[in-house]
Amino acid sequence: MKHLIDQLARERDLPDEALLSLIRCETPEAEEYLAQTAAAVRQKHYGKDVYIRGLIEFTNYCKNDCLYCGIRRSNQKAQRYRLSEEDILECCRHGYELGFRTFVLQGGEDPYFTRERMVRIVSSIKQKFPDCALTLSVGEKSREEYEAYFAAGADRYLLRHETACPCHYAKLHPAELTLAERMRCISDLKKIGFQTGIGFMVGSPFQTPQNILQDLRYIQSLRPEMVGIGPFIPHKDTPFCDEPAGTARQTLRLLAIIRLMLPTVLLPATTALGTVSGDGRVRGMQFGANVVMPNLSPLSVRKKYMLYDNKIATGEEAAESVHLLRKTMSAIGYQVVTARGDWKHE
Ligand code: 5AD
């Protein structure tokens, strides 16, 4: 495996068969070497810096019915909430004091947050915190709507593609959601000039190694500035309640592979990774990740934004505990920095 990992590091690419064998490879020696190699590439571009993003989960209303997601429309048990514009700004103020210089507004696809409302929220955050980057993660919109967000000052946008295989996409989503439309959105975001993040769940139901290969090929062709991956975790009130979770190991291997393919990508060790494995976020750094996204939502709503079971919500992943995160990271030789943490050109 070592020679394949070296080749991937050198050429940032591998033929399909070789990549598949790396995706499947479960030997500890290969994993160790993958980690080392990915950490070295990360070191070259970002040093030991860890960028933090304050995640504000501002609404869990959603008009979509994705089969895997705990806030899907038909989950009657979800306790729905929306933050007011004032609440959101208060989260930012709090986050700013804690050292955050990027805020991520994430929510379900909630029609209450019209273009006008979103534009107002984006404008006021950018006006009050001009030295901060603002990331939106609010799903599929028209090109015009994305343009309005960008004009209002939003810098980045996260929209995971979820899977690059149309058949697999259809097994995870209701018929009204299509991969073609998802990809239209992603391509519009990129054209408009957002730093764009895509990604997928690792070990989602029906996922095959071939599917993962397709995901990696799509990532290579789009060249996104950010890639978010985390293990699938079942949620008890969804059709996938009895499906097995994805593993931390597979997620870590893929983080490293993605780092080698896209050396300067912004790569978070996600909350889902921290949920399936206690040291997931630290291990993520050691496999090439360079971003963490602590939760900055008000404590009163944090338990309600449950995309999957047992989502960690009050430990080191909480923004108010960022001092603990700083400690943990410095214990393994990394340093949490107070910076926007934009994507870097090579
Ligand atoms: N397990 C893991 N990740 C999930 N997401 C949604 N539901 C789950 C789940 N059950 C991810 C999706 C989505 C992101 C916001 O959260 O990939 O894009």
Side-chain angles (χ1 to χ4, degrees), residues 68-70 106 160 162 200-201 230-235 272 307-308:
Y68 46 83
C69 185
Q106 185 173 94
R160 289 187 179 179
E162 312 296 357
F200 59 95
M201 291 176 288
F232 160 76
I233 304 172
H235 184 290
L307 306 185
Y308 44 80

Side-chain angles (χ1 to χ4, degrees), residues 162-209:
E162 312 296 357
T163 171
C165 167
C167 311
H168 187 213
Y169 197 93
K171 292 180 184 164
L172 302 179
H173 299 96
E176 65 268 21
L177 295 175
T178 64
L179 180 59
E181 178 62 7
R182 181 60 62 118
M183 287 180 164
R184 190 277 303 161
C185 291
I186 291 167
S187 119
D188 281 349
L189 289 164
K190 202 122 218 268
K191 283 185 223 150
I192 291 167
F194 284 102
Q195 292 177 44
T196 303
I198 62 174
F200 59 95
M201 291 176 288
V202 177
S204 62
F206 314 108
Q207 185 183 58
T208 63

Side-chain angles (χ1 to χ4, degrees), residues 72-323:
R72 66 202 300 264
R73 169 183 76 211
S74 57
N75 181 10
Q76 307 275 339
K77 293 192 181 158
Q79 293 180 45
R80 306 289 170 172
Y81 72 89
R82 286 185 184 108
L83 299 186
S84 68
E85 190 177 331
E86 250 322 296
D87 293 336
I88 295 172
L89 284 167
E90 187 49 44
C91 289
C92 296
R93 269 190 285 276
H94 183 214
Y96 193 91
E97 280 174 23
L98 292 168
F100 289 87
R101 295 297 178 269
T102 290
F103 304 116
V104 181
L105 288 188
Q106 185 173 94
E109 290 193 18
D110 179 358
Y112 172 85
F113 288 97
T114 57
R115 176 187 316 198
E116 292 66 36
R117 285 202 170 98
M118 286 307 298
V119 162
R120 215 179 45 226
I121 294 168
V122 169
S123 312
S124 46
I125 293 176
K126 290 297 287 194
Q127 190 209 332
K128 296 198 168 70
F129 306 94
D131 55 335
C132 293
L134 183 57
T135 307
L136 296 179
S137 177
V138 294
E140 298 185 1
K141 310 283 172 186
S142 66
R143 170 148 188 170
E144 292 68 36
E145 186 136 0
Y146 289 146
E147 278 166 350
Y149 300 163
F150 192 73
D155 304 274
R156 310 188 187 128
Y157 203 102
L158 304 177
L159 184 63
R160 289 187 179 179
H161 63 286
E162 312 296 357
T163 171
C165 167
C167 311
H168 187 213
Y169 197 93
K171 292 180 184 164
L172 302 179
H173 299 96
E176 65 268 21
L177 295 175
T178 64
L179 180 59
E181 178 62 7
R182 181 60 62 118
M183 287 180 164
R184 190 277 303 161
C185 291
I186 291 167
S187 119
D188 281 349
L189 289 164
K190 202 122 218 268
K191 283 185 223 150
I192 291 167
F194 284 102
Q195 292 177 44
T196 303
I198 62 174
F200 59 95
M201 291 176 288
V202 177
S204 62
F206 314 108
Q207 185 183 58
T208 63
Q210 274 290 342
N211 291 148
I212 296 177
L213 176 64
Q214 288 170 289
D215 289 321
L216 296 176
R217 294 300 181 214
Y218 176 56
I219 289 170
Q220 282 180 310
S221 69
L222 189 84
R223 315 213 120 263
E225 285 77 17
M226 306 169 282
V227 173
I229 64 165
F232 160 76
I233 304 172
H235 184 290
K236 58 183 180 351
D237 304 313
T238 64
F240 291 159
C241 56
D242 293 323
E243 298 290 332
T247 65
R249 273 179 82 178
Q250 175 86 83
T251 306
L252 292 169
R253 283 201 301 276
L254 286 167
L255 283 173
I257 291 173
I258 292 166
R259 169 62 64 205
L260 296 180
M261 290 181 146
L262 298 178
T264 63
V265 76
L266 295 165
L267 193 61
T270 54
T271 308
L273 179 57
T275 298
V276 292
S277 162
D279 62 352
R281 304 227 274 191
V282 165
R283 299 286 288 147
M285 294 302 126
Q286 295 168 330
F287 278 75
N290 64 335
V291 173
V292 275
M293 300 169 69
N295 197 316
L296 198 50
S297 311
L299 274 167
S300 56
V301 304
R302 228 175 260 179
K303 289 241 150 48
K304 299 180 182 158
Y305 199 82
M306 279 290 162
L307 306 185
Y308 44 80
D309 289 339
N310 307 316
K311 186 177 145 212
I312 48 176
T314 47
E316 218 167 275
E317 68 293 337
E320 65 276 11
S321 307
V322 73
H323 59 286

